[in-house]
Short mmCIF file of all heavy atoms in Angstrom, two decimals:
data_model
loop_
_atom_site.label_atom_id
_atom_site.label_comp_id
_atom_site.label_asym_id
_atom_site.label_seq_id
_atom_site.Cartn_x
_atom_site.Cartn_y
_atom_site.Cartn_z
N ARG A 731 31.38 -7.90 38.04
CA ARG A 731 32.22 -6.71 38.23
C ARG A 731 33.66 -7.19 38.22
O ARG A 731 34.02 -8.29 38.64
CB ARG A 731 31.95 -6.05 39.59
CG ARG A 731 30.53 -5.42 39.71
CD ARG A 731 30.32 -4.97 41.08
NE ARG A 731 28.94 -4.42 41.26
CZ ARG A 731 28.41 -4.07 42.39
NH1 ARG A 731 29.10 -4.20 43.53
NH2 ARG A 731 27.17 -3.58 42.43
N MET A 732 34.51 -6.28 37.77
CA MET A 732 35.94 -6.55 37.72
C MET A 732 36.68 -5.39 38.35
O MET A 732 36.27 -4.25 38.23
CB MET A 732 36.47 -6.89 36.37
CG MET A 732 35.72 -8.12 35.72
SD MET A 732 36.43 -8.60 34.15
CE MET A 732 37.96 -9.48 34.76
N GLY A 733 37.71 -5.63 39.01
CA GLY A 733 38.46 -4.62 39.64
C GLY A 733 39.95 -4.89 39.70
O GLY A 733 40.46 -5.99 39.41
N TRP A 734 40.72 -3.81 40.07
CA TRP A 734 42.10 -3.87 40.30
C TRP A 734 42.46 -3.49 41.68
O TRP A 734 41.93 -2.52 42.27
CB TRP A 734 42.85 -2.91 39.34
CG TRP A 734 42.84 -3.29 37.92
CD1 TRP A 734 41.99 -2.89 36.94
CD2 TRP A 734 43.70 -4.22 37.21
NE1 TRP A 734 42.29 -3.40 35.67
CE2 TRP A 734 43.36 -4.33 35.88
CE3 TRP A 734 44.84 -5.01 37.69
CZ2 TRP A 734 44.07 -5.09 34.96
CZ3 TRP A 734 45.41 -5.81 36.80
CH2 TRP A 734 45.08 -5.84 35.48
N PHE A 735 43.31 -4.28 42.27
CA PHE A 735 43.89 -4.03 43.60
C PHE A 735 45.43 -4.05 43.49
O PHE A 735 45.99 -4.60 42.56
CB PHE A 735 43.43 -5.09 44.58
CG PHE A 735 41.97 -5.05 44.93
CD1 PHE A 735 41.04 -5.56 44.00
CD2 PHE A 735 41.48 -4.55 46.07
CE1 PHE A 735 39.65 -5.54 44.27
CE2 PHE A 735 40.17 -4.48 46.39
CZ PHE A 735 39.22 -4.94 45.45
N ARG A 736 46.08 -3.49 44.53
CA ARG A 736 47.55 -3.52 44.48
C ARG A 736 48.08 -3.65 45.90
O ARG A 736 47.37 -3.38 46.89
CB ARG A 736 48.07 -2.27 43.89
CG ARG A 736 47.89 -0.99 44.68
CD ARG A 736 48.34 0.22 43.88
NE ARG A 736 48.15 1.47 44.67
CZ ARG A 736 48.37 2.71 44.15
NH1 ARG A 736 48.81 2.81 42.90
NH2 ARG A 736 48.23 3.79 44.86
N GLN A 737 49.21 -4.23 46.03
CA GLN A 737 49.84 -4.47 47.29
C GLN A 737 51.38 -4.27 47.23
O GLN A 737 52.00 -4.88 46.40
CB GLN A 737 49.55 -5.90 47.79
CG GLN A 737 50.05 -6.18 49.20
CD GLN A 737 49.50 -7.49 49.74
OE1 GLN A 737 49.19 -8.38 49.01
NE2 GLN A 737 49.44 -7.60 51.05
N ALA A 738 51.78 -3.32 48.01
CA ALA A 738 53.15 -3.06 48.07
C ALA A 738 53.83 -3.89 49.24
O ALA A 738 53.09 -4.27 50.14
CB ALA A 738 53.44 -1.55 48.38
N PRO A 739 55.13 -4.14 49.17
CA PRO A 739 55.72 -4.95 50.24
C PRO A 739 55.52 -4.36 51.60
O PRO A 739 55.64 -3.18 51.82
CB PRO A 739 57.22 -4.90 49.86
CG PRO A 739 57.26 -4.69 48.41
CD PRO A 739 56.07 -3.81 48.15
N GLY A 740 55.04 -5.27 52.53
CA GLY A 740 54.82 -4.77 53.87
C GLY A 740 53.58 -3.98 54.11
O GLY A 740 53.29 -3.52 55.23
N LYS A 741 52.79 -3.84 53.07
CA LYS A 741 51.55 -3.07 53.10
C LYS A 741 50.33 -3.87 52.88
O LYS A 741 50.42 -4.98 52.23
CB LYS A 741 51.56 -1.89 52.13
CG LYS A 741 52.76 -0.98 52.29
CD LYS A 741 52.78 -0.22 53.58
CE LYS A 741 53.99 0.75 53.63
NZ LYS A 741 53.92 1.51 54.97
N ASP A 742 49.17 -3.44 53.30
CA ASP A 742 47.93 -4.10 53.04
C ASP A 742 47.53 -3.97 51.57
O ASP A 742 47.87 -2.95 50.93
CB ASP A 742 46.78 -3.55 53.93
CG ASP A 742 46.99 -3.90 55.38
OD1 ASP A 742 47.63 -4.94 55.67
OD2 ASP A 742 46.50 -3.16 56.29
N ARG A 743 46.84 -4.94 51.10
CA ARG A 743 46.29 -4.80 49.78
C ARG A 743 45.20 -3.68 49.72
O ARG A 743 44.42 -3.54 50.68
CB ARG A 743 45.58 -6.13 49.34
CG ARG A 743 45.06 -6.16 47.95
CD ARG A 743 44.31 -7.44 47.73
NE ARG A 743 43.12 -7.59 48.58
CZ ARG A 743 42.48 -8.67 48.77
NH1 ARG A 743 42.80 -9.79 48.11
NH2 ARG A 743 41.44 -8.71 49.55
N GLU A 744 45.26 -2.88 48.65
CA GLU A 744 44.33 -1.74 48.59
C GLU A 744 43.61 -1.72 47.28
O GLU A 744 44.08 -2.11 46.26
CB GLU A 744 45.05 -0.43 48.82
CG GLU A 744 46.07 -0.09 47.75
CD GLU A 744 46.67 1.30 47.89
OE1 GLU A 744 46.27 1.99 48.84
OE2 GLU A 744 47.59 1.67 47.14
N PHE A 745 42.40 -1.20 47.37
CA PHE A 745 41.59 -1.07 46.12
C PHE A 745 42.15 0.01 45.24
O PHE A 745 42.52 1.08 45.76
CB PHE A 745 40.13 -0.73 46.56
CG PHE A 745 39.27 -0.29 45.43
CD1 PHE A 745 38.72 -1.20 44.50
CD2 PHE A 745 38.89 1.05 45.23
CE1 PHE A 745 37.93 -0.85 43.48
CE2 PHE A 745 38.19 1.47 44.22
CZ PHE A 745 37.60 0.51 43.39
N VAL A 746 42.12 -0.27 43.98
CA VAL A 746 42.59 0.71 42.94
C VAL A 746 41.43 1.25 42.09
O VAL A 746 41.19 2.46 41.98
CB VAL A 746 43.67 0.15 42.10
CG1 VAL A 746 44.12 1.12 41.03
CG2 VAL A 746 44.90 -0.27 42.90
N ALA A 747 40.74 0.35 41.49
CA ALA A 747 39.68 0.73 40.54
C ALA A 747 38.78 -0.47 40.29
O ALA A 747 39.17 -1.59 40.48
CB ALA A 747 40.26 1.27 39.23
N ALA A 748 37.56 -0.18 39.84
CA ALA A 748 36.58 -1.24 39.48
C ALA A 748 35.70 -0.77 38.36
O ALA A 748 35.51 0.47 38.11
CB ALA A 748 35.77 -1.64 40.69
N VAL A 749 35.13 -1.67 37.66
CA VAL A 749 34.21 -1.42 36.57
C VAL A 749 33.04 -2.29 36.63
O VAL A 749 33.21 -3.49 36.99
CB VAL A 749 34.98 -1.52 35.20
CG1 VAL A 749 35.53 -2.91 35.02
CG2 VAL A 749 34.09 -1.12 34.05
N SER A 750 31.84 -1.81 36.30
CA SER A 750 30.62 -2.58 36.42
C SER A 750 30.62 -3.63 35.30
O SER A 750 31.43 -3.70 34.36
CB SER A 750 29.44 -1.64 36.21
OG SER A 750 29.42 -1.00 34.94
N TRP A 751 29.63 -4.56 35.45
CA TRP A 751 29.54 -5.71 34.53
C TRP A 751 29.43 -5.28 33.07
O TRP A 751 29.90 -5.99 32.19
CB TRP A 751 28.40 -6.63 34.94
CG TRP A 751 27.06 -6.04 34.70
CD1 TRP A 751 26.36 -5.22 35.49
CD2 TRP A 751 26.26 -6.16 33.49
NE1 TRP A 751 25.17 -4.88 34.92
CE2 TRP A 751 25.12 -5.46 33.62
CE3 TRP A 751 26.46 -6.84 32.30
CZ2 TRP A 751 24.13 -5.35 32.69
CZ3 TRP A 751 25.50 -6.78 31.35
CH2 TRP A 751 24.30 -6.11 31.50
N ASP A 752 28.75 -4.18 32.87
CA ASP A 752 28.50 -3.79 31.45
C ASP A 752 29.56 -2.69 31.03
O ASP A 752 29.45 -2.17 29.86
CB ASP A 752 27.12 -3.26 31.28
CG ASP A 752 26.74 -2.08 32.20
OD1 ASP A 752 27.66 -1.65 33.01
OD2 ASP A 752 25.63 -1.58 32.17
N GLY A 753 30.49 -2.30 31.91
CA GLY A 753 31.48 -1.39 31.51
C GLY A 753 31.02 0.07 31.55
O GLY A 753 31.88 0.96 31.14
N THR A 754 29.88 0.37 32.04
CA THR A 754 29.34 1.71 31.92
C THR A 754 29.68 2.54 33.15
O THR A 754 29.51 3.79 33.19
CB THR A 754 27.83 1.71 31.73
OG1 THR A 754 27.15 1.04 32.78
CG2 THR A 754 27.46 1.02 30.41
N THR A 755 30.02 1.90 34.30
CA THR A 755 30.26 2.61 35.55
C THR A 755 31.67 2.21 36.07
O THR A 755 32.08 1.07 36.09
CB THR A 755 29.20 2.26 36.56
OG1 THR A 755 27.92 2.49 36.07
CG2 THR A 755 29.40 3.08 37.86
N THR A 756 32.40 3.18 36.45
CA THR A 756 33.76 3.03 36.98
C THR A 756 33.91 3.66 38.34
O THR A 756 33.19 4.58 38.70
CB THR A 756 34.79 3.52 36.00
OG1 THR A 756 34.56 4.94 35.80
CG2 THR A 756 34.72 2.83 34.68
N TYR A 757 34.82 3.09 39.10
CA TYR A 757 35.11 3.57 40.46
C TYR A 757 36.63 3.59 40.69
O TYR A 757 37.32 2.67 40.22
CB TYR A 757 34.48 2.70 41.54
CG TYR A 757 32.97 2.63 41.37
CD1 TYR A 757 32.40 1.71 40.49
CD2 TYR A 757 32.14 3.46 42.08
CE1 TYR A 757 31.01 1.59 40.33
CE2 TYR A 757 30.77 3.37 41.91
CZ TYR A 757 30.21 2.50 41.03
OH TYR A 757 28.85 2.40 40.89
N TYR A 758 37.13 4.63 41.38
CA TYR A 758 38.56 4.77 41.51
C TYR A 758 38.89 5.15 43.02
O TYR A 758 38.11 5.87 43.64
CB TYR A 758 39.11 5.87 40.67
CG TYR A 758 38.93 5.59 39.22
CD1 TYR A 758 37.89 6.03 38.50
CD2 TYR A 758 39.91 4.82 38.52
CE1 TYR A 758 37.67 5.80 37.15
CE2 TYR A 758 39.72 4.51 37.17
CZ TYR A 758 38.64 5.03 36.47
OH TYR A 758 38.44 4.78 35.10
N ALA A 759 40.01 4.60 43.45
CA ALA A 759 40.53 5.13 44.68
C ALA A 759 40.98 6.53 44.48
O ALA A 759 41.43 6.94 43.42
CB ALA A 759 41.71 4.27 45.11
N ASP A 760 40.91 7.29 45.57
CA ASP A 760 41.30 8.69 45.47
C ASP A 760 42.78 8.88 45.03
O ASP A 760 43.12 9.83 44.39
CB ASP A 760 41.13 9.45 46.83
CG ASP A 760 39.69 9.66 47.16
OD1 ASP A 760 38.83 9.58 46.25
OD2 ASP A 760 39.40 9.87 48.28
N SER A 761 43.64 7.95 45.36
CA SER A 761 45.07 8.03 45.09
C SER A 761 45.34 7.89 43.56
O SER A 761 46.39 8.36 43.14
CB SER A 761 45.78 6.96 45.86
OG SER A 761 45.35 5.69 45.47
N VAL A 762 44.41 7.38 42.82
CA VAL A 762 44.65 7.18 41.35
C VAL A 762 43.69 7.97 40.50
O VAL A 762 43.85 7.98 39.27
CB VAL A 762 44.67 5.65 41.04
CG1 VAL A 762 45.62 4.91 41.86
CG2 VAL A 762 43.32 5.08 41.15
N LYS A 763 42.64 8.52 41.11
CA LYS A 763 41.65 9.21 40.31
C LYS A 763 42.27 10.32 39.46
O LYS A 763 43.04 11.09 40.02
CB LYS A 763 40.58 9.75 41.26
CG LYS A 763 39.35 10.27 40.57
CD LYS A 763 38.29 10.69 41.60
CE LYS A 763 37.01 11.20 40.88
NZ LYS A 763 36.33 10.09 40.19
N GLY A 764 41.92 10.36 38.22
CA GLY A 764 42.45 11.33 37.32
C GLY A 764 43.76 10.90 36.62
O GLY A 764 44.09 11.53 35.63
N ARG A 765 44.32 9.79 37.10
CA ARG A 765 45.56 9.33 36.42
C ARG A 765 45.36 7.93 35.83
O ARG A 765 45.93 7.63 34.80
CB ARG A 765 46.68 9.19 37.55
CG ARG A 765 47.06 10.57 38.09
CD ARG A 765 48.36 10.38 38.95
NE ARG A 765 48.15 9.44 40.13
CZ ARG A 765 48.78 8.33 40.27
NH1 ARG A 765 49.79 7.99 39.43
NH2 ARG A 765 48.64 7.59 41.37
N PHE A 766 44.50 7.15 36.47
CA PHE A 766 44.31 5.70 35.96
C PHE A 766 42.84 5.72 35.30
O PHE A 766 41.93 6.40 35.72
CB PHE A 766 44.31 4.78 37.04
CG PHE A 766 45.69 4.51 37.70
CD1 PHE A 766 46.73 5.33 37.39
CD2 PHE A 766 45.87 3.48 38.62
CE1 PHE A 766 47.99 5.11 37.95
CE2 PHE A 766 47.13 3.25 39.15
CZ PHE A 766 48.18 4.11 38.81
N THR A 767 42.73 4.81 34.35
CA THR A 767 41.42 4.62 33.67
C THR A 767 41.18 3.12 33.54
O THR A 767 42.03 2.39 32.97
CB THR A 767 41.38 5.29 32.33
OG1 THR A 767 41.68 6.70 32.37
CG2 THR A 767 40.05 5.04 31.61
N ILE A 768 40.05 2.64 34.08
CA ILE A 768 39.71 1.26 33.96
C ILE A 768 38.66 1.09 32.92
O ILE A 768 37.75 1.97 32.72
CB ILE A 768 39.15 0.72 35.32
CG1 ILE A 768 39.01 -0.77 35.26
CG2 ILE A 768 37.91 1.46 35.74
CD1 ILE A 768 38.74 -1.40 36.64
N SER A 769 38.70 -0.02 32.21
CA SER A 769 37.74 -0.26 31.09
C SER A 769 37.63 -1.70 30.88
O SER A 769 38.44 -2.53 31.33
CB SER A 769 38.09 0.46 29.85
OG SER A 769 39.38 -0.04 29.37
N ARG A 770 36.59 -2.15 30.19
CA ARG A 770 36.34 -3.57 29.80
C ARG A 770 36.32 -3.67 28.29
O ARG A 770 35.92 -2.72 27.58
CB ARG A 770 35.03 -4.08 30.40
CG ARG A 770 34.97 -3.99 31.90
CD ARG A 770 33.76 -4.75 32.38
NE ARG A 770 33.95 -6.18 32.32
CZ ARG A 770 33.27 -7.04 33.04
NH1 ARG A 770 32.38 -6.67 33.95
NH2 ARG A 770 33.49 -8.42 32.82
#
């Protein structure tokens, strides 16, 4: 699996999005859902 995380200064690292090993399933944090698209 591969994913994206992000960290702002002074903030904890947070999950952004992830994609399954075959690229068929994706997951998104609520804060980016509908705006970001993850792919392999």
Side-chain angles (χ1 to χ4, degrees):
R731 295 172 181 170
M732 300 186 77
W734 290 96
F735 293 76
R736 66 187 183 186
Q737 187 169 23
K741 304 295 183 181
D742 292 332
R743 183 184 64 192
E744 65 175 355
F745 169 76
V746 176
V749 60
S750 62
W751 70 272
D752 59 0
T754 61
T755 305
T756 58
Y757 302 85
Y758 298 93
D760 289 341
S761 60
V762 305
K763 192 175 182 65
R765 299 189 297 119
F766 292 10
T767 302
I768 189 171
S769 62
R770 299 190 73 158

